[in-house]
């Protein structure tokens, strides 16, 4: 795929979500991403759930536009081949626990001796140092530690995990930002550097306005369902046949639904009063919204220039004409047969050609990388594979 990162080669050692999302985003931007997997593969290949030709949907979600290569860094030949790749690459990215890359001889201190221009990007759970560095974390625990779960869900309800893996996705996107910044700086200095981003740090960063809300008021933020702490009405409201989601809309919403009397009600006149009496206001609004369908209200709200949208289920998202227009649902031919539909990349740039390749099968491009990129002979490739097979046994 052609793009602004077309001159960048990324070596990805990764599992599950945060690392794969980061490297896939760089691949979407044109980088050549070589995904190195041990003989058993990325652990997300073993996840349960739906699949395409035996390839799990979880793996398919985050691994398009990459070359897949089986390489065991715990074997001498695998380590040698990895170093050969590092010599001709720009970025090495991993989402292992702190210390793993050092034990593999693949941390920045080791790799910069091989390639002073290399940029090493590490996505960890708790960060590269500190008293809790070695505690394992996943996105749900990071969401708990960072406070995300404390403000997610319905008022007075149980904590609710956000549907998307918010902490992992934030960790991945911050990693991409750090990588592109390091690439830009390397253009000026000629040398690479080490980039660290943590699941915990990225999660806390997402809590920005909740943290300042507390530090400025001393009041603990609480779950608000689909509402917003700084304005009301706001969020998802039930209609005759579903839900409509409202953005900032006061006081025009009162005229649109025929409830102008709400403007003069002392409970709702001022912003602070509406926030204090949010539940009562929402109930009053829903009494009116129950009189018509979501589509009928959306037509009215559009005419009145009120920010509103439907609450779509995934099937409706995929069929949405605007989503389709933005090329956010990709249909990619898979090497095992058929096509897979995947969520696209929201970035639109003149330098992106819009072409995509399927997530690789395990080791799909191993021989090609060895022969075309590293110039290995058939005999050397055979010996590397035999050593890896022997080590696996």
């Amino acid at each position: 795929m052609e793009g602004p990162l077309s001159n960048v080669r990324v070596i990805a050692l990764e599992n599950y979500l945060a690392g794969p999302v980061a490297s896939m985003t760089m691949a979407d931007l044109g980088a050549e991403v070589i995904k190195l997997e041990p003989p058993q593969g990325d652990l997300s290949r073993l996840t349960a759930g739906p699949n395409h030709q035996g390839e799990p949907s979880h793996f398919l979600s985050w691994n398009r536009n990459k070359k897949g290569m089986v390489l065991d860094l715990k074997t001498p030949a695998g380590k040698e081949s990895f170093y050969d790749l590092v010599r001709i690459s720009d970025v090495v990215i991993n989402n292992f626990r702190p210390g793993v890359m050092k034990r593999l001889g693949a941390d920045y201190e080791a790799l910069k001796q091989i390639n002073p221009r290399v940029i090493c990007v590490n996505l960890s759970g708790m960060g590269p140092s500190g008293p809790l560095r070695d505690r394992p974390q996943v996105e749900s625990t990071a969401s708990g530690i960072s406070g995300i779960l404390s403000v997610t869900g319905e008022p007075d309800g149980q904590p609710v995990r956000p549907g998307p893996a918010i902490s992992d996705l934030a960790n991945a996107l911050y990693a991409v930002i750090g990588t592109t910044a390091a690439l830009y700086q390397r253009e000026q200095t000629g040398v690479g550097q080490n980039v660290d981003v943590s699941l915990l740090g990225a999660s806390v960063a997402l809590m920005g306005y909740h943290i300042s809300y507390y530090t400025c008021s001393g009041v603990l933020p609480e779950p608000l369902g689909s509402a917003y702490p700084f304005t009301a009405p706001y969020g998802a409201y039930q209609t005759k046949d579903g839900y409509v989601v409202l953005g900032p809309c006061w006081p025009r919403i009162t005229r649109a639904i025929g409830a102008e009397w709400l403007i003069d009600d002392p409970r709702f006149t001022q912003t602070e009063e509406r926030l204090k009496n949010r539940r009562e206001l929402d109930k009053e609004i829903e009494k009116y919204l129950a009189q018509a369908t979501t589509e009928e209200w959306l037509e009215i709200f559009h005419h009145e220039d009120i920010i509103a949208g439907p609450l779509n289920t995934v099937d409706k998202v995929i069929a949405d004409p605007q989503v389709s227009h933005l090329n956010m649902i990709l249909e990619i031919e898979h090497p095992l047969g058929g096509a897979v539909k995947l969520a696209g990349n929201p970035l639109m740039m003149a330098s992106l050609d819009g072409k995509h390749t399927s997530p690789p099968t395990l080791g799909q491009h191993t021989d090609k990388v060895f022969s075309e990129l590293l110039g290995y002979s058939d005999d050397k490739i055979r010996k590397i594979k035999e050593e890896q097979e022997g080590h696996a046994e």
Side-chain angles (χ1 to χ4, degrees):
M1 180 176 179
E2 292 298 320
L5 296 183
S6 289
N7 62 338
V8 173
R9 180 175 293 127
V10 178
I11 306 301
L13 297 93
E14 54 190 23
N15 273 308
Y16 286 120
L17 208 158
V21 171
S23 64
M24 183 186 74
T25 303
M26 287 186 273
D28 284 349
L29 293 171
E32 178 187 16
V33 174
I34 302 173
K35 182 182 179 76
L36 303 187
E37 299 183 67
Q40 69 270 26
D42 180 328
L43 294 178
S44 68
R45 291 186 184 275
L46 308 178
T47 53
N51 67 82
H52 176 84
Q53 305 289 4
E55 298 283 281
S57 59
H58 193 296
F59 177 85
L60 294 172
S61 301
W62 316 118
N63 286 287
R64 67 171 173 265
N65 294 329
K66 303 178 186 181
K67 294 176 180 175
M69 183 180 186
V70 169
L71 195 66
D72 190 344
L73 270 64
K74 295 180 181 179
T75 65
K79 180 72 67 64
E80 178 188 357
S81 299
F82 171 68
Y83 288 156
D84 286 345
L85 283 170
V86 170
R87 287 187 181 93
I88 58 172
S89 298
D90 300 282
V91 177
V92 176
I93 185 170
N94 81 89
N95 64 325
F96 299 150
R97 291 192 196 184
V100 170
M101 292 294 279
K102 185 173 184 178
R103 289 197 298 273
L104 290 172
D107 62 331
Y108 178 64
E109 291 304 314
L111 298 189
K112 73 178 183 180
Q113 305 303 319
I114 299 169
N115 178 0
R117 291 174 57 82
V118 75
I119 294 165
C120 290
V121 184
N122 314 288
L123 294 83
S124 62
M126 299 293 275
S129 60
L132 305 183
R133 184 195 85 152
D134 294 320
R135 291 192 180 180
Q137 298 296 324
V138 294
E139 58 89 16
S140 59
T141 56
S143 293
I145 298 169
S146 65
I148 289 176
L149 294 188
S150 76
V151 295
T152 306
E154 291 296 326
D156 304 320
Q158 293 292 315
V160 174
R161 174 189 175 274
I166 293 295
S167 294
D168 269 327
L169 294 170
N171 199 17
L173 297 181
Y174 275 113
V176 174
I177 294 168
T179 303
T180 52
L183 285 166
Y184 178 78
Q185 188 171 44
R186 191 183 68 179
E187 290 300 302
Q188 303 165 61
T189 65
V191 297
Q193 62 180 293
N194 197 57
V195 178
D196 280 292
V197 60
S198 67
L199 200 58
L200 178 59
S203 302
V204 172
L206 294 183
M207 289 291 288
Y209 68 65
H210 290 95
I211 288 174
S212 61
Y213 185 102
Y214 171 71
T215 58
C216 290
S217 69
V219 177
L220 282 174
E222 297 179 346
L224 294 173
S226 61
Y228 186 60
F230 303 105
T231 187
Y234 190 102
Y237 293 83
Q238 196 160 10
T239 66
K240 189 175 184 179
D241 66 344
Y243 288 86
V244 64
V245 184
L246 296 174
C249 55
W250 188 267
R252 285 178 295 159
I253 185 69
T254 63
R255 294 189 290 272
I257 65 176
E260 292 92 335
W261 65 268
L262 291 171
I263 298 174
D264 298 320
D265 189 307
R267 295 174 297 170
F268 313 132
T269 302
Q270 302 298 323
T271 300
E272 291 300 325
E273 294 303 316
R274 289 197 301 280
L275 293 176
K276 187 187 304 182
N277 299 296
R278 183 194 304 273
R279 294 192 189 185
E280 291 88 342
L281 177 59
D282 289 348
K283 288 178 181 177
E284 294 294 345
I285 290 174
E286 284 194 328
K287 288 179 185 178
Y288 290 86
L289 295 180
Q291 298 171 16
T293 67
T294 297
E295 282 301 318
E296 289 168 337
W297 282 121
L298 287 175
E299 186 174 345
I300 292 171
F301 294 154
H302 177 68
H303 183 266
E304 296 292 330
D305 199 29
I306 289 173
I307 302 172
L311 199 162
N312 283 337
T313 48
V314 173
D315 57 330
K316 292 180 179 177
V317 174
I318 293 174
D320 186 281
Q322 186 66 20
V323 172
S324 177
H325 175 78
L326 295 174
N327 199 32
M328 283 307 300
I329 304 298
L330 307 176
E331 189 165 347
I332 306 173
E333 292 300 317
H334 195 276
L336 297 180
V340 290
K341 287 187 176 182
L342 306 171
N345 189 312
L347 288 169
M348 293 183 285
M349 304 174 66
S351 56
L352 290 174
D353 65 10
K355 297 177 182 178
H356 298 275
T357 59
S358 172
T361 56
L362 182 60
Q364 180 181 341
H365 303 97
T366 300
D367 287 359
K368 189 172 184 178
V369 171
F370 277 146
S371 61
E372 296 183 10
L373 200 58
L374 296 179
Y376 287 0
S377 66
D378 291 344
D379 186 55
K380 184 169 184 175
I381 294 172
R382 178 181 54 79
K383 289 180 179 179
I384 293 172
K385 289 183 175 180
E386 287 175 353
E387 183 177 291
Q388 290 186 156
E389 290 169 0
H391 182 259
E393 293 173 1

